[in-house]
Amino acid sequence: MSLPPYARDLNLVLCHTCGQACPLGTHECPRCDSVVHRRKPESLGRTWAFLIASLIFYIPANLLPVMFTNMFGSGSENTIMSGVMEFWSSGSWDIALLIFIASVAVPCLKFAVLGTLLITCQRRSQWAMRERSKLYRLIEIIGYWSMLDVLVVALVAALVQFRSLSSIEPRLGILFFGLVVVLTMLAAMSFDPRLIWDAEVEDV
Amino acid sequence: MSDHPSSTLTPSSPEVRRRRFNVSLVWLVPIVAALIGLSMVVHKALSAGPQIVVSFLTAEGLEANKTQVKYKNVVIGKVTAIALSEDRGHIDATIELDQSAKAFTARDARFWVVRPRIGAGGVSGVDTLLSGAFIGADPGENKDTEKNFVGLENPPAITYGQKGKRFTLHTADLGSLDIGSAVYYRRIQVGQVVSYKLADDGKGVDIDVFINAPNDQYVKKDSRFWNASGVDVSLGANGLKVNTQSVASILSGGIAFIEPNYTADKALADENAQFTLFDDQETALAPPDGEARYVQMRFDQSLRGLAVNAPVEFLGVNVGKVVSVDLDYDAKSETFPTVIGAVIYPNRLGKAHDKLLAQMGGEDDAKGAQLMGQFVRHGLRAQARSANLLTGQLYISMNFVANAKTVAFDQNARPMMIPTVPGSLDKLQEQMQAFVDKLSKIPIDQIADNLNGSLGQLNKTLENVNGQVLPEMRDTLAQTKKTLANAGDSFAEDSPQRQQLGQALDEVQRTARSVRVLTDFLGRHPEALIRGRLKDGKPDAYQPTSSTSRETDQE
């Protein structure tokens, strides 16, 4: 092994914020005063909690209408999936695809990835560790983009207000959807990717 | 857990103490999420209303998950699915009602599709032009609930809980009436036709009308209803009269009612009371006709112009109408007599009828025939008379004919045969003949001779006038002309009379001037009348005013 020794071997802890290597036992980073831990505290438990909460919220987010459209006196409520289907059947497959990816595919991907990461970390699996860490980076990046739906609804509801002619109002579903996105982001944040590699270390 | 760094941390670290809780506070987040989710499920389950299926003939304008069910424009449910029925005869719309809309599952609840409708009676559902159709609902009061309903194709005329009264009208045919046709009282719409159906025996139509409160109080037991559809044009002694309830009723039909002026029964009509629907206002307001009697008449003449429904008059009073005109053949005399059938309403005779009844002591068929026999003995005869010389229409007139030929009258024959006399047109011909005869008796030749002599005399007189009177007249005129010429000369520009007149006028002018001078002087010096005129050169002596003042200033 030509690799340098592990931090724990040298009794060092890395600051999460500024990256300063602090001696083990210090509670605050001497440089930036932030709390230091060896690993993110309760990482797996918190991630599980956020993931489960977001999964629960994902059900009403899909079942409840997200938007109420009132065109010339005829009102209709749309859930995310019914909106996708409506766009698809009316021929605008591109918009349908965009909405589908942003509001169905991405959250589902996040659930799957986080779930996989959590389970493998708990089982200290050494399977495809490099790919798993890549997946983690991916969901950290795309995490924000799931907010697209919420933004669209907020924008449209603010812009389309023509009294009786046509108006768009947000409905409860979009709140749950926003909560899902926030919770998955929190879950991704509370996950410590170094846990992936800990399995390797313990075995050594 | 394996990621716990417990092995390497000192026990005094505060982090260790915190980890004593097996359950981290972060688990509150999924617990709260689960609670919210659960509460929503429970709320949804509790607020889920009944589901019903309504069948319509067509799903035109209906959309699943979009079409709403409204009552008084409040959304009470939504169409969740639309499917063809198994026999493809209609469509089944599945409707999810709100929990508060339980009353709409009553067995007699009604559902219909509100679409824009444009009819003669008005326009409705305009708001659905833009918003699309919705389903209108009307709750029922039946205790039993129902899951499957048959939707109405037309909106119901009256809705649940509307105050008013329902009445049934009997009529021979529907005419142009329809559901929704207006019912007018003094030209104000107070109700409408809500349904109609054939009478049970098929001989007529029963029309149900609904009169809205509070106007239902004007329907009296004695009220008369008539069909006010179309335009009523009548030509009477006062000229042409056009009568209609409203423009809408011309197109879509209507019913009007009113209580007759002579009505005695002021009691309100009961709910579901039965009335007769008359053809027009006149017949509606006429006193009841009572029982009809059928009679026949046989005429030997042609009755061209006598139509069914022509009036039958008794001494000028309309007592009935002709119901049939048939040709008969008399083998004995080899002629074609016309047999007229007519109905007579004795009640129309009014007071006369009452008195006759009192005299006869009751009314029945035999007594009526007996009375008729009495009349015939007194000379009652039927006669076809011309009602209108232009169109040649005839009516039947029953009159007592003086010195009529006695005829046999069978009181027991049914129908009664009323004897006739030739019609008025035949009589007219006779009279014309008599008139022409008289005309031919006038001594026209003699009159012409006399006239000739008179004309000769006149001729002589005129000759006299021409020969003597006219020349003398001419001389007189010439004399007059001369006189007028003389008068003209004396007024000419250069005539001596005119010059003298001019001079005389000049003289008068001068005289007037001296008088003015004198009065001026006297006005200034009234003392001159007594003292006489002062000497000249004195300041106050008479001089032209202007020069006097100037000289005075210079001195």
Side-chain angles (χ1 to χ4, degrees), chain A residues 24 27 36-38 42 44-46 48-50 52-53 56-57 60 64 72-76 124 172 176 183 195, chain B residues 1-5 8 13-15 19 21 24 26-27 29-30 32-34 36-37 40 65-66 68 78 130-132:
Chain A
L24 191 67
H27 297 162
V36 287
H37 313 277
R38 273 189 62 222
E42 297 255 18
L44 287 184
R46 284 183 194 180
W48 269 121
F50 285 129
I52 289 170
I56 292 171
F57 279 148
L64 290 179
F72 300 115
S74 79
S76 64
R124 309 183 57 77
L172 204 57
F176 285 107
L183 285 172
L195 291 173
Chain B
M1 290 276 138
S2 60
D3 57 315
H4 289 177
T8 51
S13 159
E15 288 171 76
R19 274 191 289 102
F21 302 103
S24 162
V26 83
W27 285 98
V29 177
V32 167
I36 292 175
M40 285 176 67
N65 283 326
K66 205 161 185 187
Q68 294 166 323
K78 202 165 75 171
L130 291 176
S131 65

Side-chain angles (χ1 to χ4, degrees), chain A residues 123-139:
Chain A
R123 299 179 65 193
R124 309 183 57 77
S125 160
Q126 293 194 34
W127 162 76
M129 291 195 277
R130 203 181 290 262
E131 284 75 21
R132 279 195 273 146
S133 66
K134 275 184 184 162
L135 277 177
Y136 174 72
R137 267 174 278 155
L138 176 74
I139 59 157

